[in-house]
mmCIF file of all heavy atoms in Angstrom:
data_model
loop_
_atom_site.group_PDB
_atom_site.id
_atom_site.type_symbol
_atom_site.label_atom_id
_atom_site.label_comp_id
_atom_site.label_asym_id
_atom_site.label_seq_id
_atom_site.Cartn_x
_atom_site.Cartn_y
_atom_site.Cartn_z
ATOM 1 N N ASP A 22 0.641 2.147 -0.887
ATOM 2 C CA ASP A 22 1.521 3.304 -0.975
ATOM 3 C C ASP A 22 1.165 4.355 0.079
ATOM 4 O O ASP A 22 0.107 4.314 0.703
ATOM 5 C CB ASP A 22 1.504 3.905 -2.383
ATOM 6 C CG ASP A 22 0.206 4.606 -2.727
ATOM 7 O OD1 ASP A 22 -0.837 4.287 -2.146
ATOM 8 O OD2 ASP A 22 0.255 5.481 -3.586
ATOM 9 N N GLY A 48 -0.338 -6.469 2.040
ATOM 10 C CA GLY A 48 -0.276 -6.262 3.485
ATOM 11 C C GLY A 48 -1.620 -5.948 4.095
ATOM 12 O O GLY A 48 -2.644 -5.907 3.423
ATOM 13 N N GLY A 62 -0.898 -3.212 17.183
ATOM 14 C CA GLY A 62 0.331 -3.817 17.688
ATOM 15 C C GLY A 62 1.484 -2.845 17.789
ATOM 16 O O GLY A 62 2.596 -3.247 18.070
ATOM 17 N N VAL A 85 42.883 29.565 28.514
ATOM 18 C CA VAL A 85 41.707 30.180 27.923
ATOM 19 C C VAL A 85 41.155 29.198 26.885
ATOM 20 O O VAL A 85 41.874 28.775 25.987
ATOM 21 C CB VAL A 85 42.059 31.521 27.252
ATOM 22 C CG1 VAL A 85 40.854 32.117 26.567
ATOM 23 C CG2 VAL A 85 42.636 32.474 28.281
ATOM 24 N N PRO A 105 10.125 10.781 2.796
ATOM 25 C CA PRO A 105 8.796 11.238 3.183
ATOM 26 C C PRO A 105 8.293 10.598 4.479
ATOM 27 O O PRO A 105 7.188 10.874 4.912
ATOM 28 C CB PRO A 105 7.929 10.800 1.999
ATOM 29 C CG PRO A 105 8.607 9.569 1.505
ATOM 30 C CD PRO A 105 10.079 9.807 1.724
#
Side-chain angles (χ1 to χ4, degrees):
D22 71 335
V85 177

